[in-house]
């Protein structure tokens, strides 16, 4: 376990702010809404930490102030990726998450102005939809070729010394630098073995996305100096050029810069340059010169997840509580899909959402008993496409004001049921329905 190095050569103003109990409480507010049963290597859950919150915050404040704070080993879990590989996640203890979240609150305003305007991931008030909008805008400027690049194991291969040097350009408080170094070199508890972290930023920690953006900012600046038109979302980048030769050169420049300056490599299976008219995949979408659509593979994986959960809902002998849990899960999945993929002005996506709604209905007719299909709980489930139209009706009836409590629920569920049963009577133009932003 790495130890903190104490130094008094510079002002510790930023670190002193982190030691404040009120700042740590802000960190707690960011952490408390995460998965309730989640825990680190000490088995302390969110609920357990909350029971002794003031005592824990006081203890953390004193440890930080006395420079005696040591983070506990991360708990290693592995998530299966769609391609069959594994993504290792390091889960910190609640106490360490609180301090990291508080540190993020202090560091984010310092680094945010230094980031490129062409970077969109893990940043406040920025989203994948904005990245896609910029990509479409760049394509519309008569660019014919796209370089699609994915950095191989980006989080896992970040060089600690380079990262700390980049952090030090903006953060002059050595105590904060030492603290970040301490987190970077924390041990990992993996199947009862305690392993040191020698390279990389643990995925799963609240500070990791910010650190990754800090590390990749030199790449953004390099692209800007070369005059390239690009969009970066975390470790996924798209560069748009007017010729094939420019695309080849851009890919070569990127590969060389990553290797020489950042000690990173591109993932060959997800890196290429293509003619935009032939279409390319970026952030879960397929993009062409004229259209934007959800990737076919993503549609199929969505169908598999929905069918699996509908089957669970229709299992014989399920209790009311189990049915409600399954229904909550289905609604959460659909809302997540809708929030990420819904783009009302895109006709192909609107059609795909409508098809997914029909697929859900077909799966329900096949796997759910009649009694459950007629239950209001199922009838009023979240739809993928129709909700966009409901929101249009909502804004037409009530303007942009927000309804609260039961007033909203009655309107939304009532209109949802009516529209679902009588959609042909409304004669709406689905493909052009849009939500006023």
């Amino acid at each position: 376990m790495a130890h903190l190095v104490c130094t008094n050569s510079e002002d510790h103003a930023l670190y002193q702010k982190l030691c404040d109990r009120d700042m740590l409480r802000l960190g707690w507010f960011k952490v408390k809404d995460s998965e309730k049963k989640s825990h680190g290597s000490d088995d302390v859950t969110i609920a357990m930490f909350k029971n002794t919150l003031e005592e824990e915050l006081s203890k953390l404040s004193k440890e930080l102030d006395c420079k005696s704070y040591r983070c506990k080993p991360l708990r290693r879990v592995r998530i299966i990726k769609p391609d069959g590989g594994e993504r290792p996640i390091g889960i910190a203890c609640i106490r360490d998450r609180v301090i990291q979240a508080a540190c993020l609150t202090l560091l984010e305003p310092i680094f945010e102005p230094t980031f490129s305007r062409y970077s969109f991931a893990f940043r406040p008030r920025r989203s994948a939809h904005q990245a896609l909008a910029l990509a479409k805008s760049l394509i519309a400027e008569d660019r014919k070729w796209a370089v699609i690049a994915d950095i191989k194991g980006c989080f896992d291969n970040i060089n600690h010394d380079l990262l700390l040097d980049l952090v030090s350009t903006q953060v002059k408080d050595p105590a904060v630098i030492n603290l970040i170094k301490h987190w970077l070199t924390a041990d990992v508890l993996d199947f009862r073995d305690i392993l040191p972290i020698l390279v990389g930023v643990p995925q799963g920690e609240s500070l990791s996305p910010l650190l990754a953006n800090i590390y990749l900012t030199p790449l953004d600046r390099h692209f800007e100096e070369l005059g390239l038109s690009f969009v970066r979302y975390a470790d996924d980048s798209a560069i748009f050029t007017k010729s094939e030769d420019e695309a080849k050169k851009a890919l070569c420049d990127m590969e060389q810069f990553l290797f020489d300056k950042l000690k990173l490599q591109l993932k060959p299976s997800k890196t290429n340059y293509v003619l935009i008219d032939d279409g390319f995949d970026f952030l879960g979408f397929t993009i062409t010169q004229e259209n934007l659509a959800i990737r076919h593979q993503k549609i199929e994986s969505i169908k598999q997840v929905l069918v699996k959960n509908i089957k669970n809902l229709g299992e014989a002998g399920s209790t009311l509580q189990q049915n409600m849990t399954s229904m909550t899960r289905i609604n959460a999945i659909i809302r997540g899909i809708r929030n990420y993929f819904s783009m009302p002005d895109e006709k192909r996506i609107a059609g795909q959402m409508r098809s997914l709604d029909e697929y859900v209905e077909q799966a329900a007719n096949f796997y759910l008993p009649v009694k459950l299909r007629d239950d209001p709980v199922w009838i009023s489930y979240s739809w993928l496409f129709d909700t966009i139209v409901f929101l249009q009706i909502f804004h037409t009836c009530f303007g942009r004001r927000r309804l609260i409590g039961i007033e909203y629920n009655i309107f939304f569920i009532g209109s949802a049921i009516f529209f679902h049963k009588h959609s042909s009577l409304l004669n709406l133009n689905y493909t052009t329905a849009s939500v006023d932003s």
Side-chain angles (χ1 to χ4, degrees):
M1 176 78 69
H3 294 277
L4 297 180
V5 178
C6 295
T7 175
N8 297 313
S9 60
E10 293 185 47
D11 181 30
H12 285 249
L14 194 64
Y15 187 82
Q16 287 305 313
K17 290 180 181 178
L18 183 63
C19 297
D20 186 77
R21 270 180 56 175
D22 289 336
M23 182 57 67
L24 294 173
R25 187 173 285 104
L26 285 177
W28 160 251
F29 287 145
K30 289 187 174 184
V31 169
K32 71 183 183 68
D33 292 328
S34 57
E35 175 58 46
K36 300 299 182 184
K37 295 182 180 179
S38 173
H39 61 85
S41 58
D42 61 357
D43 294 328
V44 175
T45 64
I46 294 283
M48 295 165 65
F49 192 90
K50 183 179 179 180
N51 289 336
T52 56
L53 177 61
E54 295 305 321
E55 180 183 339
E56 293 291 345
L57 294 181
S58 295
K59 188 187 301 182
L60 289 176
S61 177
K62 290 178 182 177
E63 288 181 14
L64 287 168
D65 195 39
C66 297
K67 302 289 197 314
S68 63
Y69 164 75
R70 300 292 181 271
C71 70
K72 296 186 178 182
L74 305 175
R75 181 169 66 92
R76 172 68 54 81
V77 298
R78 291 173 173 80
I79 297 176
I80 304 299
K81 297 194 291 188
D83 61 6
E86 291 184 340
R87 176 179 289 113
I89 302 292
I91 301 180
C93 298
I94 307 300
R95 67 194 303 273
D96 300 321
R97 289 188 227 172
V98 168
I99 300 177
Q100 285 195 26
C103 190
L104 177 64
T105 302
L106 292 171
L107 294 181
E108 197 169 59
I110 295 174
F111 285 97
E112 182 60 27
T114 71
F115 293 153
S116 170
R117 58 178 175 167
Y118 304 109
S119 164
F120 290 88
F122 313 126
R123 297 179 61 185
R125 297 173 297 282
R126 286 184 167 238
S127 67
H129 283 196
Q130 292 173 327
L132 291 165
L134 177 58
K136 288 178 61 182
S137 175
L138 294 173
I139 290 171
E141 295 176 354
D142 201 31
R143 292 180 173 87
K144 305 297 184 184
W145 289 82
V147 177
I148 308 304
D150 183 15
I151 298 174
K152 182 180 179 181
C154 179
F155 280 83
D156 298 331
N157 292 297
I158 288 176
N159 182 279
H160 291 172
D161 292 334
L162 287 176
L163 174 60
L164 291 171
D165 285 345
L166 290 168
V167 173
S168 298
T169 62
Q170 300 297 323
V171 177
K172 303 304 180 182
D173 189 334
V176 174
I177 301 297
N178 283 333
L179 185 60
I180 293 173
K181 182 178 180 180
H182 178 59
W183 284 326
L184 289 174
T185 56
D187 293 333
V188 175
L189 183 62
D190 192 1
F191 294 113
R192 298 187 179 182
D193 292 328
I194 296 182
L195 308 173
I197 298 177
L198 302 178
V199 67
V201 174
Q203 295 189 58
E205 296 192 355
S206 58
L207 204 58
S208 297
L210 176 68
L211 296 177
N213 269 335
I214 293 170
Y215 197 78
L216 293 177
T217 293
L219 177 65
D220 298 336
R221 299 306 180 199
H222 179 64
F223 287 162
E224 291 171 4
E225 289 172 5
L226 294 176
L228 296 176
S229 300
F230 73 98
V231 179
R232 184 176 66 80
Y233 194 90
D235 53 358
D236 291 318
S237 298
I239 306 171
F240 303 99
T241 66
K242 294 185 177 181
S243 70
E244 184 178 5
D245 287 342
E246 289 178 355
K248 288 180 180 178
K249 186 176 185 307
L251 179 56
C252 183
D253 285 339
M254 181 182 185
E255 208 163 19
Q256 197 68 43
F257 184 87
L258 283 172
F259 186 80
D260 291 344
K261 302 297 183 180
L262 299 179
K263 304 185 186 302
L264 295 173
Q265 296 179 332
L266 294 176
K267 190 173 184 178
S269 62
K270 291 188 176 182
T271 300
N272 201 1
Y273 58 91
V274 297
L275 193 62
I276 293 174
D277 279 337
D278 294 338
F280 63 93
D281 294 336
F282 187 56
L283 304 183
F285 294 84
T286 296
I287 305 173
T288 64
Q289 198 79 36
E290 302 295 334
N291 292 306
L292 187 67
I294 305 171
R295 288 179 60 215
H296 174 72
Q297 297 92 324
K298 183 63 68 174
I299 291 285
E300 293 305 311
S301 66
I302 289 171
K303 288 179 177 179
Q304 292 176 12
V305 171
L306 289 171
V307 166
K308 178 182 176 181
N309 284 274
I310 290 171
K311 283 181 178 180
N312 291 339
L313 180 63
E315 285 183 352
S318 297
T319 65
L320 177 61
Q321 181 61 44
Q322 289 172 329
N323 285 343
M324 291 300 294
T325 300
S326 296
M327 196 66 240
T328 300
R329 173 66 176 160
I330 291 171
N331 278 329
I333 292 169
I334 291 176
R335 282 196 301 272
I337 295 167
R338 186 179 65 223
N339 292 342
Y340 185 78
F341 288 105
S342 286
M343 301 184 75
D345 293 330
E346 297 294 336
K347 295 182 179 181
R348 287 190 62 188
I349 292 178
Q352 288 175 307
M353 289 293 189
R354 170 61 87 182
S355 296
L356 280 172
D357 276 334
E358 292 172 355
Y359 183 83
V360 170
E361 284 294 305
Q362 292 169 3
N365 289 335
F366 189 81
Y367 293 110
L368 299 184
V370 175
K371 183 178 180 181
L372 189 53
R373 292 202 305 269
D374 290 337
D375 192 302
V377 173
W378 173 255
I379 293 173
S380 60
Y381 79 94
S382 293
W383 290 289
L384 286 156
F385 173 72
D386 290 346
T387 301
I388 300 171
V389 182
F390 299 152
L391 289 174
Q392 188 180 36
I393 298 171
F394 178 90
H395 294 150
T396 301
C397 296
F398 300 100
R400 296 299 300 176
R401 78 180 183 90
R402 292 182 179 274
L403 300 185
I404 58 173
I406 195 167
E407 184 184 13
Y408 175 84
N409 292 331
I410 290 173
F411 167 78
F412 190 82
I413 295 175
S415 61
I417 295 172
F418 176 81
F419 184 80
H420 188 63
K421 296 299 184 183
H422 308 286
S423 57
S424 61
L425 300 178
L426 295 179
N427 193 27
L428 290 174
N429 184 349
Y430 297 122
T431 58
T432 58
S434 63
V435 180
D436 178 17
S437 59

